[in-house]
Amino acid sequence: MSYLCAAGEPPRLGPAPSTAADRAPAPPPAWAYLVRCEDGSLYAGWTTDLARRLQRHRGGRGARYTRMRGAVQLAYARRCADKSDALRQEAALKRLTKADKEALAARWAADHALTVRLADDRDLPAVTELYNWYVRHSTATFQYTPATRAEMAASMDAALAVGPFLVAENAAGALCGYACAHPFHPREAYAWCAETTIYCDPDCVGQGVGRRLYTPLLELLRRQGYRAAAALVAHPNPGSEAFHKAMGFHSVGTQPRCGYKFGRWLDLQTWWLDLCPGLEEPAPVRRQLPRDQVEAVLAAAAAPAAR
């Protein structure tokens, strides 16, 4: 293929820029929720950003009720059609007796109990659908065109060849999110650095799915012998930035205006985590781990949620 176009032929063109109209419409999020305070009481509220609202409650910047009673834990969440629906659901929650709130929280906890495991072929349709939601609605991925199942299958196989590809599913078997790792760069000297990727179902954001996936993912990478993990995060993305900071990553640089999607220029931040600090010569990375070791890591990561 020549860099020069033949005489009389038009030059080859790259992709047309994604415009704001290319972004698939999605209703603004609205939630009604219950949080449990340190004294055991349940507080009902509503929000358009569940993750941010929970952070404010836990940081002592939420409602006066929760500020007076200490740290909170999500006990129930329902995605609503809009703000009006969320306000109605909040009012209904506030009218419930303590016993009814406890019963609702218990059912929600049972329905949303997570299982984290290695992905396999049965997960391909759901993983593809979830990723393509972000392609159509979000700048979290710079991809314009939805991925095919064949493309996602190749991506999963490539990830599993060098590290874990984890999925989180609820009690009904529905996919709540996935996380995986890829080589940070194909050159040999980068072999000890893994690039991490995570996508959570938008109905599960703020409910601890990301931590349940990243905790075992990072531990498995550490046991494989990777020395560092890098996450490439589109900016602005305050939710992802706050999540990676909470997981121990720190921002090490920004590439300005390197992506264009949905009619806007986007920066790209690199978030970095040292998995095995030290300057000694590294051993070769293990591409696979024994099954019993993987299962032990997954069990240990699930234990705090079960208590």
Side-chain angles (χ1 to χ4, degrees), residues 131 134-135 138-145 199 233-235 258-261 266-268:
Y131 176 71
Y134 281 90
V135 172
S138 173
T139 57
T141 172
F142 282 6
Q143 185 163 332
Y144 283 8
T145 307
Y199 289 101
V233 178
H235 177 75
C258 64
Y260 189 86
K261 188 177 181 183
L266 299 159
D267 299 343
L268 187 66

Side-chain angles (χ1 to χ4, degrees), residues 106-258:
R107 289 195 301 272
W108 185 86
D111 291 342
H112 290 77
L114 289 179
T115 298
V116 176
R117 57 172 175 79
L118 286 174
D120 54 39
D121 291 344
R122 63 184 149 158
D123 301 304
L124 180 59
V127 166
T128 304
E129 182 180 357
L130 176 55
Y131 176 71
N132 284 338
W133 187 94
Y134 281 90
V135 172
R136 296 185 180 98
H137 294 88
S138 173
T139 57
T141 172
F142 282 6
Q143 185 163 332
Y144 283 8
T145 307
T148 66
R149 287 193 185 181
E151 290 169 342
M152 289 302 295
S155 178
M156 289 176 66
D157 288 344
L160 286 167
V162 298
F165 193 116
L166 303 179
V167 295
E169 59 185 11
N170 62 20
L175 180 71
C176 297
Y178 70 86
C180 59
H182 302 274
F184 181 69
H185 194 283
R187 299 292 189 201
E188 291 93 334
Y190 291 95
W192 291 269
C193 179
E195 179 189 340
T196 58
T197 296
I198 185 167
Y199 289 101
C200 294
D201 186 291
D203 285 349
C204 299
V205 171
Q207 299 176 34
V209 176
R211 182 173 289 274
R212 285 290 308 276
L213 284 165
Y214 246 30
T215 298
L217 178 81
L218 296 172
E219 178 60 25
L220 290 170
L221 293 174
R222 185 179 291 111
R223 294 191 183 207
Q224 285 182 254
Y226 286 102
R227 306 302 293 269
L232 304 183
V233 178
H235 177 75
N237 188 339
S240 184
E241 294 164 20
F243 168 73
H244 282 90
K245 184 177 181 180
M247 293 300 301
F249 288 70
H250 60 282
S251 178
V252 295
T254 300
Q255 300 172 47
R257 302 178 304 283
C258 64

